[in-house]
Amino acid sequence: AAPRLAWPRRGMETTLKAPEKSLADQIKDAEEAARELQDALRVAFEGLADLRERVHSAEEVAGDRHGDNLRMEVSDVLRMQTMALGEMAQTVQHFPRRWARLEINTSQRKALLLEVKARRARNVEQERMQST
């Protein structure tokens, strides 16, 4: 598959839509979503602490059929949830890198625009000198 471009190519500018909200409002929305995630993680930590207390008795009776079944069930759920939490953490860790790339791309676009304007000015100046 072709790599995804950070910004559309020339002539594809019309595919970008104007934001429905201001960027400041969108940042506020992202902050609220981050707070909600933080609250959800706090609840997850509390649930894990409670689970630790509840499975303590199952750990003490290792070898008991019911205790072993409970431990296997809890182990499977925890393994899947740990993987999901790891993926979420990795996603969140990428946010600052994406913001940095946006800044770099903005700087690159500005430099390219300035270069194009300078080239046009030189061409106009050369045409003016040739016509005289």
PDB file of all heavy atoms in Angstrom, residues 31-60:
ATOM      1  N   GLU A  31      -9.035  17.632  25.910  1.00  0.00           N
ATOM      2  CA  GLU A  31      -8.689  17.669  27.336  1.00  0.00           C
ATOM      3  C   GLU A  31      -9.757  16.973  28.171  1.00  0.00           C
ATOM      4  O   GLU A  31      -9.438  16.224  29.099  1.00  0.00           O
ATOM      5  CB  GLU A  31      -8.514  19.118  27.806  1.00  0.00           C
ATOM      6  CG  GLU A  31      -7.264  19.777  27.278  1.00  0.00           C
ATOM      7  CD  GLU A  31      -7.207  21.269  27.576  1.00  0.00           C
ATOM      8  OE1 GLU A  31      -8.266  21.895  27.831  1.00  0.00           O
ATOM      9  OE2 GLU A  31      -6.082  21.810  27.547  1.00  0.00           O
ATOM     10  N   GLU A  32     -11.009  17.196  27.829  1.00  0.00           N
ATOM     11  CA  GLU A  32     -12.102  16.540  28.556  1.00  0.00           C
ATOM     12  C   GLU A  32     -12.057  15.026  28.354  1.00  0.00           C
ATOM     13  O   GLU A  32     -12.239  14.256  29.293  1.00  0.00           O
ATOM     14  CB  GLU A  32     -13.455  17.099  28.102  1.00  0.00           C
ATOM     15  CG  GLU A  32     -14.636  16.502  28.817  1.00  0.00           C
ATOM     16  CD  GLU A  32     -14.617  16.699  30.326  1.00  0.00           C
ATOM     17  OE1 GLU A  32     -14.069  17.699  30.812  1.00  0.00           O
ATOM     18  OE2 GLU A  32     -15.151  15.816  31.035  1.00  0.00           O
ATOM     19  N   ALA A  33     -11.777  14.603  27.126  1.00  0.00           N
ATOM     20  CA  ALA A  33     -11.655  13.168  26.849  1.00  0.00           C
ATOM     21  C   ALA A  33     -10.491  12.568  27.637  1.00  0.00           C
ATOM     22  O   ALA A  33     -10.596  11.453  28.166  1.00  0.00           O
ATOM     23  CB  ALA A  33     -11.477  12.928  25.354  1.00  0.00           C
ATOM     24  N   ALA A  34      -9.384  13.301  27.750  1.00  0.00           N
ATOM     25  CA  ALA A  34      -8.232  12.822  28.523  1.00  0.00           C
ATOM     26  C   ALA A  34      -8.594  12.716  30.005  1.00  0.00           C
ATOM     27  O   ALA A  34      -8.187  11.764  30.681  1.00  0.00           O
ATOM     28  CB  ALA A  34      -7.037  13.755  28.330  1.00  0.00           C
ATOM     29  N   ARG A  35      -9.365  13.695  30.508  1.00  0.00           N
ATOM     30  CA  ARG A  35      -9.798  13.616  31.918  1.00  0.00           C
ATOM     31  C   ARG A  35     -10.699  12.405  32.143  1.00  0.00           C
ATOM     32  O   ARG A  35     -10.589  11.727  33.169  1.00  0.00           O
ATOM     33  CB  ARG A  35     -10.531  14.899  32.317  1.00  0.00           C
ATOM     34  CG  ARG A  35      -9.615  16.032  32.669  1.00  0.00           C
ATOM     35  CD  ARG A  35     -10.370  17.228  33.262  1.00  0.00           C
ATOM     36  NE  ARG A  35      -9.642  18.428  32.947  1.00  0.00           N
ATOM     37  CZ  ARG A  35      -9.847  19.212  31.892  1.00  0.00           C
ATOM     38  NH1 ARG A  35     -10.812  18.947  31.057  1.00  0.00           N
ATOM     39  NH2 ARG A  35      -9.104  20.273  31.695  1.00  0.00           N
ATOM     40  N   GLU A  36     -11.595  12.144  31.186  1.00  0.00           N
ATOM     41  CA  GLU A  36     -12.467  10.979  31.300  1.00  0.00           C
ATOM     42  C   GLU A  36     -11.653   9.693  31.285  1.00  0.00           C
ATOM     43  O   GLU A  36     -11.943   8.753  32.032  1.00  0.00           O
ATOM     44  CB  GLU A  36     -13.503  10.986  30.178  1.00  0.00           C
ATOM     45  CG  GLU A  36     -14.551  12.073  30.338  1.00  0.00           C
ATOM     46  CD  GLU A  36     -15.502  12.159  29.153  1.00  0.00           C
ATOM     47  OE1 GLU A  36     -15.447  11.286  28.254  1.00  0.00           O
ATOM     48  OE2 GLU A  36     -16.305  13.104  29.129  1.00  0.00           O
ATOM     49  N   LEU A  37     -10.631   9.643  30.444  1.00  0.00           N
ATOM     50  CA  LEU A  37      -9.741   8.477  30.410  1.00  0.00           C
ATOM     51  C   LEU A  37      -9.022   8.333  31.746  1.00  0.00           C
ATOM     52  O   LEU A  37      -8.890   7.227  32.276  1.00  0.00           O
ATOM     53  CB  LEU A  37      -8.739   8.604  29.264  1.00  0.00           C
ATOM     54  CG  LEU A  37      -7.714   7.487  29.125  1.00  0.00           C
ATOM     55  CD1 LEU A  37      -8.384   6.139  28.905  1.00  0.00           C
ATOM     56  CD2 LEU A  37      -6.759   7.794  27.978  1.00  0.00           C
ATOM     57  N   GLN A  38      -8.575   9.451  32.292  1.00  0.00           N
ATOM     58  CA  GLN A  38      -7.894   9.432  33.588  1.00  0.00           C
ATOM     59  C   GLN A  38      -8.824   8.900  34.675  1.00  0.00           C
ATOM     60  O   GLN A  38      -8.417   8.078  35.500  1.00  0.00           O
ATOM     61  CB  GLN A  38      -7.428  10.851  33.918  1.00  0.00           C
ATOM     62  CG  GLN A  38      -6.477  10.943  35.084  1.00  0.00           C
ATOM     63  CD  GLN A  38      -5.959  12.368  35.238  1.00  0.00           C
ATOM     64  OE1 GLN A  38      -6.668  13.348  34.930  1.00  0.00           O
ATOM     65  NE2 GLN A  38      -4.734  12.499  35.697  1.00  0.00           N
ATOM     66  N   ASP A  39     -10.083   9.325  34.654  1.00  0.00           N
ATOM     67  CA  ASP A  39     -11.058   8.824  35.628  1.00  0.00           C
ATOM     68  C   ASP A  39     -11.306   7.327  35.438  1.00  0.00           C
ATOM     69  O   ASP A  39     -11.406   6.576  36.408  1.00  0.00           O
ATOM     70  CB  ASP A  39     -12.383   9.584  35.511  1.00  0.00           C
ATOM     71  CG  ASP A  39     -12.278  11.024  35.978  1.00  0.00           C
ATOM     72  OD1 ASP A  39     -11.310  11.352  36.705  1.00  0.00           O
ATOM     73  OD2 ASP A  39     -13.163  11.825  35.607  1.00  0.00           O
ATOM     74  N   ALA A  40     -11.396   6.906  34.177  1.00  0.00           N
ATOM     75  CA  ALA A  40     -11.605   5.482  33.892  1.00  0.00           C
ATOM     76  C   ALA A  40     -10.420   4.655  34.383  1.00  0.00           C
ATOM     77  O   ALA A  40     -10.601   3.552  34.917  1.00  0.00           O
ATOM     78  CB  ALA A  40     -11.834   5.266  32.402  1.00  0.00           C
ATOM     79  N   LEU A  41      -9.217   5.176  34.236  1.00  0.00           N
ATOM     80  CA  LEU A  41      -8.029   4.457  34.710  1.00  0.00           C
ATOM     81  C   LEU A  41      -8.016   4.379  36.235  1.00  0.00           C
ATOM     82  O   LEU A  41      -7.619   3.363  36.806  1.00  0.00           O
ATOM     83  CB  LEU A  41      -6.761   5.129  34.196  1.00  0.00           C
ATOM     84  CG  LEU A  41      -6.485   4.925  32.707  1.00  0.00           C
ATOM     85  CD1 LEU A  41      -5.324   5.790  32.262  1.00  0.00           C
ATOM     86  CD2 LEU A  41      -6.230   3.470  32.387  1.00  0.00           C
ATOM     87  N   ARG A  42      -8.473   5.440  36.902  1.00  0.00           N
ATOM     88  CA  ARG A  42      -8.558   5.422  38.359  1.00  0.00           C
ATOM     89  C   ARG A  42      -9.516   4.324  38.802  1.00  0.00           C
ATOM     90  O   ARG A  42      -9.213   3.543  39.705  1.00  0.00           O
ATOM     91  CB  ARG A  42      -9.026   6.785  38.885  1.00  0.00           C
ATOM     92  CG  ARG A  42      -9.090   6.872  40.405  1.00  0.00           C
ATOM     93  CD  ARG A  42      -9.672   8.192  40.889  1.00  0.00           C
ATOM     94  NE  ARG A  42     -10.841   8.649  40.155  1.00  0.00           N
ATOM     95  CZ  ARG A  42     -12.080   8.157  40.296  1.00  0.00           C
ATOM     96  NH1 ARG A  42     -12.307   7.168  41.130  1.00  0.00           N
ATOM     97  NH2 ARG A  42     -13.088   8.640  39.598  1.00  0.00           N
ATOM     98  N   VAL A  43     -10.658   4.213  38.131  1.00  0.00           N
ATOM     99  CA  VAL A  43     -11.628   3.159  38.440  1.00  0.00           C
ATOM    100  C   VAL A  43     -11.010   1.786  38.183  1.00  0.00           C
ATOM    101  O   VAL A  43     -11.211   0.839  38.952  1.00  0.00           O
ATOM    102  CB  VAL A  43     -12.927   3.361  37.630  1.00  0.00           C
ATOM    103  CG1 VAL A  43     -13.845   2.162  37.748  1.00  0.00           C
ATOM    104  CG2 VAL A  43     -13.640   4.636  38.083  1.00  0.00           C
ATOM    105  N   ALA A  44     -10.233   1.663  37.101  1.00  0.00           N
ATOM    106  CA  ALA A  44      -9.578   0.388  36.785  1.00  0.00           C
ATOM    107  C   ALA A  44      -8.592   0.010  37.881  1.00  0.00           C
ATOM    108  O   ALA A  44      -8.531  -1.158  38.297  1.00  0.00           O
ATOM    109  CB  ALA A  44      -8.865   0.472  35.434  1.00  0.00           C
ATOM    110  N   PHE A  45      -7.819   0.980  38.389  1.00  0.00           N
ATOM    111  CA  PHE A  45      -6.885   0.697  39.484  1.00  0.00           C
ATOM    112  C   PHE A  45      -7.637   0.242  40.734  1.00  0.00           C
ATOM    113  O   PHE A  45      -7.217  -0.705  41.411  1.00  0.00           O
ATOM    114  CB  PHE A  45      -6.027   1.931  39.817  1.00  0.00           C
ATOM    115  CG  PHE A  45      -4.808   2.057  38.966  1.00  0.00           C
ATOM    116  CD1 PHE A  45      -4.701   3.084  38.039  1.00  0.00           C
ATOM    117  CD2 PHE A  45      -3.753   1.158  39.087  1.00  0.00           C
ATOM    118  CE1 PHE A  45      -3.575   3.208  37.248  1.00  0.00           C
ATOM    119  CE2 PHE A  45      -2.615   1.271  38.306  1.00  0.00           C
ATOM    120  CZ  PHE A  45      -2.531   2.301  37.383  1.00  0.00           C
ATOM    121  N   GLU A  46      -8.746   0.896  41.026  1.00  0.00           N
ATOM    122  CA  GLU A  46      -9.540   0.506  42.198  1.00  0.00           C
ATOM    123  C   GLU A  46     -10.100  -0.899  42.018  1.00  0.00           C
ATOM    124  O   GLU A  46     -10.107  -1.704  42.950  1.00  0.00           O
ATOM    125  CB  GLU A  46     -10.674   1.513  42.427  1.00  0.00           C
ATOM    126  CG  GLU A  46     -10.184   2.873  42.886  1.00  0.00           C
ATOM    127  CD  GLU A  46     -11.284   3.933  42.869  1.00  0.00           C
ATOM    128  OE1 GLU A  46     -12.442   3.611  42.495  1.00  0.00           O
ATOM    129  OE2 GLU A  46     -10.982   5.090  43.225  1.00  0.00           O
ATOM    130  N   GLY A  47     -10.556  -1.207  40.800  1.00  0.00           N
ATOM    131  CA  GLY A  47     -11.080  -2.546  40.516  1.00  0.00           C
ATOM    132  C   GLY A  47     -10.007  -3.618  40.630  1.00  0.00           C
ATOM    133  O   GLY A  47     -10.261  -4.717  41.135  1.00  0.00           O
ATOM    134  N   LEU A  48      -8.802  -3.294  40.173  1.00  0.00           N
ATOM    135  CA  LEU A  48      -7.701  -4.257  40.286  1.00  0.00           C
ATOM    136  C   LEU A  48      -7.337  -4.504  41.742  1.00  0.00           C
ATOM    137  O   LEU A  48      -7.048  -5.648  42.132  1.00  0.00           O
ATOM    138  CB  LEU A  48      -6.480  -3.763  39.502  1.00  0.00           C
ATOM    139  CG  LEU A  48      -6.603  -3.857  37.983  1.00  0.00           C
ATOM    140  CD1 LEU A  48      -5.473  -3.091  37.311  1.00  0.00           C
ATOM    141  CD2 LEU A  48      -6.621  -5.312  37.533  1.00  0.00           C
ATOM    142  N   ALA A  49      -7.361  -3.463  42.556  1.00  0.00           N
ATOM    143  CA  ALA A  49      -7.073  -3.633  43.988  1.00  0.00           C
ATOM    144  C   ALA A  49      -8.130  -4.511  44.629  1.00  0.00           C
ATOM    145  O   ALA A  49      -7.809  -5.409  45.432  1.00  0.00           O
ATOM    146  CB  ALA A  49      -7.002  -2.276  44.679  1.00  0.00           C
ATOM    147  N   ASP A  50      -9.389  -4.294  44.263  1.00  0.00           N
ATOM    148  CA  ASP A  50     -10.481  -5.123  44.797  1.00  0.00           C
ATOM    149  C   ASP A  50     -10.336  -6.562  44.319  1.00  0.00           C
ATOM    150  O   ASP A  50     -10.515  -7.507  45.097  1.00  0.00           O
ATOM    151  CB  ASP A  50     -11.822  -4.534  44.343  1.00  0.00           C
ATOM    152  CG  ASP A  50     -13.004  -5.312  44.882  1.00  0.00           C
ATOM    153  OD1 ASP A  50     -13.050  -5.552  46.111  1.00  0.00           O
ATOM    154  OD2 ASP A  50     -13.891  -5.680  44.073  1.00  0.00           O
ATOM    155  N   LEU A  51     -10.010  -6.741  43.053  1.00  0.00           N
ATOM    156  CA  LEU A  51      -9.825  -8.087  42.506  1.00  0.00           C
ATOM    157  C   LEU A  51      -8.679  -8.801  43.206  1.00  0.00           C
ATOM    158  O   LEU A  51      -8.773  -9.993  43.513  1.00  0.00           O
ATOM    159  CB  LEU A  51      -9.565  -8.005  40.998  1.00  0.00           C
ATOM    160  CG  LEU A  51      -9.427  -9.325  40.260  1.00  0.00           C
ATOM    161  CD1 LEU A  51     -10.715 -10.134  40.346  1.00  0.00           C
ATOM    162  CD2 LEU A  51      -9.066  -9.062  38.803  1.00  0.00           C
ATOM    163  N   ARG A  52      -7.615  -8.083  43.486  1.00  0.00           N
ATOM    164  CA  ARG A  52      -6.471  -8.666  44.184  1.00  0.00           C
ATOM    165  C   ARG A  52      -6.914  -9.256  45.524  1.00  0.00           C
ATOM    166  O   ARG A  52      -6.529 -10.358  45.897  1.00  0.00           O
ATOM    167  CB  ARG A  52      -5.388  -7.616  44.403  1.00  0.00           C
ATOM    168  CG  ARG A  52      -4.130  -8.151  45.099  1.00  0.00           C
ATOM    169  CD  ARG A  52      -3.127  -7.052  45.426  1.00  0.00           C
ATOM    170  NE  ARG A  52      -2.859  -6.127  44.338  1.00  0.00           N
ATOM    171  CZ  ARG A  52      -1.955  -6.312  43.373  1.00  0.00           C
ATOM    172  NH1 ARG A  52      -1.221  -7.409  43.363  1.00  0.00           N
ATOM    173  NH2 ARG A  52      -1.780  -5.411  42.437  1.00  0.00           N
ATOM    174  N   GLU A  53      -7.753  -8.534  46.236  1.00  0.00           N
ATOM    175  CA  GLU A  53      -8.243  -9.018  47.533  1.00  0.00           C
ATOM    176  C   GLU A  53      -9.152 -10.230  47.370  1.00  0.00           C
ATOM    177  O   GLU A  53      -9.070 -11.183  48.134  1.00  0.00           O
ATOM    178  CB  GLU A  53      -9.004  -7.895  48.260  1.00  0.00           C
ATOM    179  CG  GLU A  53      -8.126  -6.748  48.696  1.00  0.00           C
ATOM    180  CD  GLU A  53      -7.061  -7.196  49.676  1.00  0.00           C
ATOM    181  OE1 GLU A  53      -7.361  -8.008  50.578  1.00  0.00           O
ATOM    182  OE2 GLU A  53      -5.909  -6.737  49.531  1.00  0.00           O
ATOM    183  N   ARG A  54     -10.014 -10.207  46.344  1.00  0.00           N
ATOM    184  CA  ARG A  54     -10.975 -11.291  46.166  1.00  0.00           C
ATOM    185  C   ARG A  54     -10.327 -12.586  45.679  1.00  0.00           C
ATOM    186  O   ARG A  54     -10.799 -13.667  46.017  1.00  0.00           O
ATOM    187  CB  ARG A  54     -12.085 -10.867  45.212  1.00  0.00           C
ATOM    188  CG  ARG A  54     -12.991  -9.822  45.853  1.00  0.00           C
ATOM    189  CD  ARG A  54     -14.210  -9.537  45.024  1.00  0.00           C
ATOM    190  NE  ARG A  54     -13.822  -8.929  43.758  1.00  0.00           N
ATOM    191  CZ  ARG A  54     -14.536  -9.048  42.636  1.00  0.00           C
ATOM    192  NH1 ARG A  54     -15.638  -9.731  42.622  1.00  0.00           N
ATOM    193  NH2 ARG A  54     -14.128  -8.463  41.530  1.00  0.00           N
ATOM    194  N   VAL A  55      -9.276 -12.495  44.871  1.00  0.00           N
ATOM    195  CA  VAL A  55      -8.657 -13.723  44.359  1.00  0.00           C
ATOM    196  C   VAL A  55      -7.585 -14.258  45.304  1.00  0.00           C
ATOM    197  O   VAL A  55      -7.066 -15.348  45.082  1.00  0.00           O
ATOM    198  CB  VAL A  55      -8.069 -13.540  42.939  1.00  0.00           C
ATOM    199  CG1 VAL A  55      -9.150 -13.182  41.959  1.00  0.00           C
ATOM    200  CG2 VAL A  55      -6.934 -12.572  42.912  1.00  0.00           C
ATOM    201  N   HIS A  56      -7.294 -13.508  46.345  1.00  0.00           N
ATOM    202  CA  HIS A  56      -6.288 -13.952  47.307  1.00  0.00           C
ATOM    203  C   HIS A  56      -6.660 -15.320  47.882  1.00  0.00           C
ATOM    204  O   HIS A  56      -5.800 -16.203  47.995  1.00  0.00           O
ATOM    205  CB  HIS A  56      -6.135 -12.922  48.430  1.00  0.00           C
ATOM    206  CG  HIS A  56      -5.076 -13.267  49.414  1.00  0.00           C
ATOM    207  ND1 HIS A  56      -3.736 -13.279  49.085  1.00  0.00           N
ATOM    208  CD2 HIS A  56      -5.146 -13.646  50.717  1.00  0.00           C
ATOM    209  CE1 HIS A  56      -3.029 -13.637  50.132  1.00  0.00           C
ATOM    210  NE2 HIS A  56      -3.873 -13.860  51.142  1.00  0.00           N
ATOM    211  N   SER A  57      -7.943 -15.523  48.189  1.00  0.00           N
ATOM    212  CA  SER A  57      -8.361 -16.812  48.746  1.00  0.00           C
ATOM    213  C   SER A  57      -8.235 -17.923  47.708  1.00  0.00           C
ATOM    214  O   SER A  57      -7.903 -19.068  48.060  1.00  0.00           O
ATOM    215  CB  SER A  57      -9.796 -16.736  49.272  1.00  0.00           C
ATOM    216  OG  SER A  57     -10.672 -16.359  48.233  1.00  0.00           O
ATOM    217  N   ALA A  58      -8.468 -17.635  46.433  1.00  0.00           N
ATOM    218  CA  ALA A  58      -8.323 -18.654  45.390  1.00  0.00           C
ATOM    219  C   ALA A  58      -6.859 -19.045  45.233  1.00  0.00           C
ATOM    220  O   ALA A  58      -6.552 -20.211  44.956  1.00  0.00           O
ATOM    221  CB  ALA A  58      -8.867 -18.131  44.065  1.00  0.00           C
ATOM    222  N   GLU A  59      -5.955 -18.098  45.427  1.00  0.00           N
ATOM    223  CA  GLU A  59      -4.530 -18.397  45.358  1.00  0.00           C
ATOM    224  C   GLU A  59      -4.103 -19.302  46.506  1.00  0.00           C
ATOM    225  O   GLU A  59      -3.230 -20.142  46.341  1.00  0.00           O
ATOM    226  CB  GLU A  59      -3.717 -17.091  45.390  1.00  0.00           C
ATOM    227  CG  GLU A  59      -3.805 -16.255  44.125  1.00  0.00           C
ATOM    228  CD  GLU A  59      -3.011 -16.855  42.986  1.00  0.00           C
ATOM    229  OE1 GLU A  59      -1.883 -17.335  43.213  1.00  0.00           O
ATOM    230  OE2 GLU A  59      -3.526 -16.856  41.857  1.00  0.00           O
ATOM    231  N   GLU A  60      -4.729 -19.110  47.664  1.00  0.00           N
ATOM    232  CA  GLU A  60      -4.366 -19.905  48.837  1.00  0.00           C
ATOM    233  C   GLU A  60      -4.750 -21.365  48.697  1.00  0.00           C
ATOM    234  O   GLU A  60      -4.130 -22.224  49.300  1.00  0.00           O
ATOM    235  CB  GLU A  60      -5.003 -19.310  50.100  1.00  0.00           C
ATOM    236  CG  GLU A  60      -4.394 -17.990  50.506  1.00  0.00           C
ATOM    237  CD  GLU A  60      -5.088 -17.395  51.724  1.00  0.00           C
ATOM    238  OE1 GLU A  60      -6.151 -17.910  52.133  1.00  0.00           O
ATOM    239  OE2 GLU A  60      -4.562 -16.409  52.254  1.00  0.00           O
TER     240      GLU A  60
END
